[in-house]
Amino acid sequence: MEKILFLASLVVISTIIAGFIILERGVSSDRKKLKKALRTNLTVFVPTVLAAYVLLVPGVVHAATAPTGTNGLGLLAAALSTGLATIGTGYAVGVVGSAALGAVSEDDSILGKTLIFVGLAEGIAIYGLIISIMILGNL
């Protein structure tokens, strides 16, 4: 299975290199060939990688026989609180920032108000970080 995974990776890397070569030449007739090759790569590579993970990972992963003393769920909770908070912040700043930019382009006097809303959206990440620090402090 390792050989199949290696060959699939080799095919994908060669297609990427061929794509860069075609882009450097600027030849438009080869673009159809490249699109067909990329479709073939996705059709072959993704199921191959999934099959490799299904077949190879269970042989590597072993269940713990005794508790090791680490708090894995606490570490997971700390990572999730920071990660999800930053994802929420990215979404909120994107929405609020674009709306603020549109509002400021129509009326320059509301710049200060829009900055407050963007700052409130960025505060979500800080709250997630504070919760992570509190969780890690209790481990």
Side-chain angles (χ1 to χ4, degrees), residues 15-122:
T15 304
I16 291 171
I17 292 170
F20 282 126
I21 291 171
I22 289 171
L23 287 176
E24 283 293 319
R25 282 194 221 154
V27 179
S28 62
S29 64
D30 290 336
R31 292 192 188 272
K32 291 181 183 178
K33 292 179 186 176
L34 181 63
K35 284 183 181 180
K36 184 177 179 182
L38 286 175
R39 249 185 261 120
T40 305
N41 279 337
L42 288 177
T43 306
V44 172
F45 186 69
V46 172
T48 305
V49 169
L50 290 175
Y53 281 128
V54 168
L55 295 175
L56 295 176
V57 170
V60 177
V61 177
H62 302 287
T65 57
T68 58
T70 59
N71 295 329
L73 289 178
L75 297 174
L76 184 64
L80 282 174
S81 68
T82 301
L84 292 175
T86 52
I87 290 171
T89 297
Y91 180 74
V93 168
V95 171
V96 171
S98 64
L101 192 61
V104 168
S105 67
E106 293 195 14
D107 185 12
D108 293 336
S109 65
I110 60 172
L111 177 66
K113 293 177 185 177
T114 59
L115 287 178
I116 292 171
F117 289 123
V118 174
L120 288 172
E122 290 176 359

